[in-house]
Amino acid sequence: MEEKPARQARTQPTIYDVALACGVAPSTVSRAFSRPGRVNAETAERIRTVAAELGYRTNPLARALPTGKTDLLALVIADATNPFFFEIIRGAEEAASEGGYTMLVVDAQESVEAERQALNRTLPLVEGLVLATSRMSDSAIRVAAKQRPTVVLNRVVTDLPSVVTDNPRGMRRAVEHLAELGHTTLTYVAGPEASWVDGMRWRSMREAAFELDIKVRRLGPFAPTLAGGLAAAEKLRQQPSSAAIAYNDLVAIGMMRGLARMGARLPEDVSVVGFDNIFGSDFCTPPLTTVAAPLRRLGSFAVRALLDQMATRAPVLVRPALLPAQLVVRGSTTRKVRRSSAWVSASRATAGRTDPSGTA
Amino acid sequence: MEEKPARQARTQPTIYDVALACGVAPSTVSRAFSRPGRVNAETAERIRTVAAELGYRTNPLARALPTGKTDLLALVIADATNPFFFEIIRGAEEAASEGGYTMLVVDAQESVEAERQALNRTLPLVEGLVLATSRMSDSAIRVAAKQRPTVVLNRVVTDLPSVVTDNPRGMRRAVEHLAELGHTTLTYVAGPEASWVDGMRWRSMREAAFELDIKVRRLGPFAPTLAGGLAAAEKLRQQPSSAAIAYNDLVAIGMMRGLARMGARLPEDVSVVGFDNIFGSDFCTPPLTTVAAPLRRLGSFAVRALLDQMATRAPVLVRPALLPAQLVVRGSTTRKVRRSSAWVSASRATAGRTDPSGTA
DNA sequence: CAACTCGTGGCAACCGTTTGCCGGACGGCG
DNA sequence: CGCCGTCCGGCAAACGGTTGCCACGAGTTG
């Protein structure tokens, strides 16, 4: 008659419970799961069935303590409300779970301070890091990268594995497109100054314009939001242009709304090109011509690169990975019309008319 | 001359390192941080400065093992690409970090199986659970709730704390609105059958319509996506209606695109009302009249309820919490016009004209 | 038949905290 | 002066796995 006191049923069974029930040592149970082949096939089988009966589940916390294997990855995004990130999250999530990892999505709330804090909190928990559109300084990123394998997304940090959209090519295509439509002066509607991507796009635009013998101007900076785009519309009214390339789709859409509100007809009065092809860019009015980023691939690619790096214990990506962008032509761009921007003066006259966007 | 071997500088310093440097016991160091007041103020101060010098950071894994305190919460969402969740995530994140917790955002990818797996993976790590628009069965949810404090979001599960939008009132307002505009027959464009919310909305609509002496019809089910809305447009053409209330904004927007493509004029030919007021519903064409859910509050409220529940070790929410919805009237609804749905036949005639949505 | 190898299982240390318990010092009080 | 309560620090046992090392038996080989 055995009288080993049964463990509290209240708590999860442990390897000790399984070991007891099988008449083997705890270490054998452990190995039956973590090191298949290390124990006799029959024994392992027996252990596994008993474990299943008992409802044993290995405790990830206990496992992580001695080994450091948490099976957790962190994806830090600049702003959880920005639709730009949603397909990226999905892509990252897919690649992570394919590799047996769980994604920790961390929202930096567009604040360097919040990003730093959130990072500190999660860093010790995770095995690797994807920093998407980080607002932190290069050096802060390097500090993080020193502690955990890191991949930078949508930004390039020297000597750190980076994954970005091919902005120069994408911008080149956009400028060509507008040039073909007869536009001779292009306005860049800038995003936040802290943004690496903004600098990149502006530079690429100037280069492309130079080669194609097109004039460029720059407005901004503006917040990378619909509101930012609204503000940009105001500025654009003061310095009209037949065509504008916006920092991103959010700004482009916001700007188009602002322009429409002022009485501009789109795309006749202003051709607008956005960047990223986010959710909504196909059903705004007019549908937005945009340089589409391969969002989902961006996410999955970054995670796979991270996983590779973790596996080989050495950076795999020495050069920044450039994922191809693609110009999606929709309704927001059109041939330049001779008659120059009548809406600028007309706007005052029509200021009282019904707001076509429906919100005041 | 001491010759205690210095610990590997490679690894993070532990309480042992700090204890050694301070000449106290490790337990004292631990208490200096976790139980302030339990140790002498001076000692604690000394320990804290030395710890800071050494760059000591308490290891959350090691802490969690004996105590179970991971400071992690999980938010399981049905689909990371659905903009409905954007603001919910943000709200939840805010409330969580206010309470000193970190949010684990888990994507169920609209699949019951994926949801179950992801849940199994993360359950042992987290202290509490928010299930947002879970697609799992009530019983599966109860099983999870048995293991961790749980709050259900956007769905009601009997005897489990639930947080939902006040759908009946919101629907009532929508029906009233359309009734006032002269519509006498309303079509409900249904969402997925597995959706708790769909059932709720359909029922509420019938009740409201009954009271207001309005006739209702039901089309569907459709996927809760833009594509689902497109399919709905096709069905609506076969059974025209002067006004429709869609399962959610995604379906509403998709449907409007489909209708526009067929040559319908909106909102004159069909008035459309959506639900949720997601990102994009204000800049689609026409801007969508919708029953706005307090998305961010939904998220933060659910997390706060969860935190309360965890603190008091007992469900705090005995009744489902109803957060008020608000009808936002924009451009997609208008007074019923006498001349009945000309677009149905006209659509064939205009089939060849330029697609106003810009995509083929 | 001895020596060696291989397969398999057990022992015990370890990961870095937390915490119950103990005991010494000190101060107040009867 | 002795007793008691309080304050504070240390000891050691958890928490639940992983893993280096050893032991033992069977099979192989010279």
Side-chain angles (χ1 to χ4, degrees), chain A residues 132-147:
Chain A
T133 316
S134 175
R135 298 288 184 234
M136 298 192 306
S137 67
D138 276 22
S139 64
I141 292 180
R142 287 216 182 76
V143 169
K146 205 148 280 170
Q147 316 197 40

Side-chain angles (χ1 to χ4, degrees), chain A residues 10 12 57-62 64-65 68 70 72 78-83 86-87 89-90 93-94 96-98 100-110 118 120-122 124-125 146-147 226 250 253 257 278-285 287 296 328-331 356-359, chain B residues 10 12 57-62 64-65 68 70 72 78-83 85-87 89-90 93-94 96-98 100-110 120-122 124-125 146-147 226 250 253 257 278-285 287 296 328-331 356-359:
Chain A
R10 192 64 255 127
Q12 286 273 98
R57 320 226 45 184
T58 136
N59 178 334
L61 250 37
L65 187 49
T70 58
L72 248 39
D79 176 7
T81 65
N82 186 336
F86 283 78
E87 290 285 339
I89 294 178
R90 173 57 66 86
E93 190 96 40
E94 280 176 2
S97 72
E98 237 169 59
Y101 281 80
T102 301
M103 253 304 171
L104 201 56
V105 180
V106 181
D107 179 13
Q109 303 177 56
E110 278 290 3
N120 275 338
R121 234 190 237 164
T122 49
L125 284 176
K146 205 148 280 170
Q147 316 197 40
L226 292 177
L250 237 29
I253 294 172
R257 290 187 68 192
I278 61 170
F279 172 85
S281 56
D282 55 342
F283 64 71
C284 57
T285 306
R296 193 175 293 209
V328 177
V329 178
R330 298 204 185 94
S357 73
T359 53
Chain B
R10 195 62 255 129
Q12 286 273 99
R57 320 224 46 184
T58 136
N59 178 334
L61 249 41
L65 185 49
T70 58
L72 248 38
D79 176 7
T81 64
N82 186 335
F85 295 105
F86 297 7
E87 290 284 339
I89 293 178
R90 172 56 67 88
E93 190 96 38
E94 279 176 2
S97 70
E98 239 170 58
Y101 281 80
T102 301
M103 253 308 172
L104 201 56
V105 180
V106 181
D107 180 12
Q109 303 178 59
E110 279 289 1
N120 276 338
R121 234 190 237 166
T122 49
L125 284 176
K146 205 147 280 167
Q147 314 195 43
L226 291 177
L250 238 30
I253 295 172
R257 292 186 66 193
I278 62 169
F279 172 86
S281 55
D282 55 341
F283 64 72
C284 57
T285 305
R296 192 175 294 209
V328 177
V329 178
R330 297 203 186 94
S357 75
T359 51

Side-chain angles (χ1 to χ4, degrees), chain A residues 9-344:
Chain A
R10 192 64 255 127
T11 180
Q12 286 273 98
T14 72
I15 48 168
Y16 295 95
D17 301 312
V18 179
L20 216 62
C22 279
V24 298
S27 50
T28 306
V29 178
S30 169
R31 281 196 272 256
F33 288 104
S34 58
R35 196 84 28 126
R38 178 62 174 74
V39 322
N40 185 294
E42 292 177 34
T43 321
E45 185 49 32
R46 188 157 47 95
I47 291 177
R48 252 182 259 112
T49 57
V50 171
E53 278 170 23
L54 262 49
Y56 166 77
R57 320 226 45 184
T58 136
N59 178 334
L61 250 37
R63 193 171 98 102
L65 187 49
T67 60
K69 272 213 63 66
T70 58
D71 289 351
L72 248 39
L73 261 33
L75 172 66
V76 183
I77 60 178
D79 176 7
T81 65
N82 186 336
F84 172 72
F85 293 105
F86 283 78
E87 290 285 339
I88 291 182
I89 294 178
R90 173 57 66 86
E93 190 96 40
E94 280 176 2
S97 72
E98 237 169 59
Y101 281 80
T102 301
M103 253 304 171
L104 201 56
V105 180
V106 181
D107 179 13
Q109 303 177 56
E110 278 290 3
S111 139
V112 176
E113 184 49 25
E115 182 166 359
R116 220 183 39 71
Q117 276 189 15
L119 206 52
N120 275 338
R121 234 190 237 164
T122 49
L123 203 61
L125 284 176
V126 302
E127 293 182 48
L129 218 51
V130 176
L131 261 30
T133 316
S134 175
R135 298 288 184 234
M136 298 192 306
S137 67
D138 276 22
S139 64
I141 292 180
R142 287 216 182 76
V143 169
K146 205 148 280 170
Q147 316 197 40
R148 292 285 186 280
T150 299
V151 169
V152 179
L153 186 50
N154 206 30
R155 167 167 172 173
V156 170
V157 178
T158 325
D159 295 332
L160 249 42
S162 312
V163 179
V164 290
T165 312
D166 191 344
N167 283 301
R169 271 188 133 76
M171 182 57 93
R172 168 80 187 212
R173 294 283 298 110
V175 173
E176 282 173 359
H177 170 64
L178 290 172
E180 280 165 15
L181 291 173
H183 300 277
T184 51
T185 301
L186 268 32
T187 299
Y188 179 65
V189 181
E193 298 189 85
S195 163
W196 180 89
V197 171
D198 181 70
M200 195 64 200
R201 291 184 180 161
W202 171 230
R203 196 149 53 81
S204 307
M205 178 163 169
R206 275 197 323 217
E207 288 174 5
F210 177 76
E211 289 177 25
L212 297 170
D213 201 23
I214 297 268
K215 282 196 281 295
V216 292
R217 268 186 1 193
R218 186 174 197 267
L219 251 43
F222 300 101
T225 58
L226 292 177
L230 242 48
E234 204 51 57
K235 278 273 193 293
L236 195 62
R237 160 194 253 170
Q238 288 158 25
Q239 307 179 40
S241 182
S242 74
I245 299 183
Y247 166 65
N248 69 9
D249 287 352
L250 237 29
V251 171
I253 294 172
M255 188 169 73
M256 291 199 304
R257 290 187 68 192
L259 292 173
R261 236 177 248 183
M262 296 175 198
R265 287 164 324 156
L266 298 174
E268 292 78 11
D269 288 336
V270 188
S271 284
V272 177
V273 177
F275 261 84
D276 298 340
N277 194 26
I278 61 170
F279 172 85
S281 56
D282 55 342
F283 64 71
C284 57
T285 306
L288 187 63
T289 294
T290 188
V291 179
L295 298 173
R296 193 175 293 209
R297 279 193 56 213
L298 235 29
S300 62
F301 192 98
V303 168
R304 271 196 290 272
L306 179 61
L307 257 25
D308 284 356
Q309 184 184 171
M310 285 163 47
T312 63
R313 329 258 315 135
V316 181
L317 247 43
V318 288
R319 307 266 82 178
L322 278 190
L323 267 46
Q326 197 184 354
L327 182 71
V328 177
V329 178
R330 298 204 185 94
S332 69
T333 46
T334 192
R335 179 154 291 284
K336 182 177 184 185
V337 292
R338 220 39 337 217
R339 155 192 64 73
S340 69
S341 314
W343 63 278
V344 181

Side-chain angles (χ1 to χ4, degrees), chain B residues 251-265:
Chain B
V251 172
I253 295 172
M255 188 169 73
M256 291 199 305
R257 292 186 66 193
L259 292 172
R261 235 177 249 183
M262 297 173 195
R265 286 163 324 154

Side-chain angles (χ1 to χ4, degrees), chain B residues 58 61 68 119 146 186 213 241 305:
Chain B
T58 136
L61 249 41
L119 207 50
K146 205 147 280 167
L186 268 32
D213 202 22
S241 180

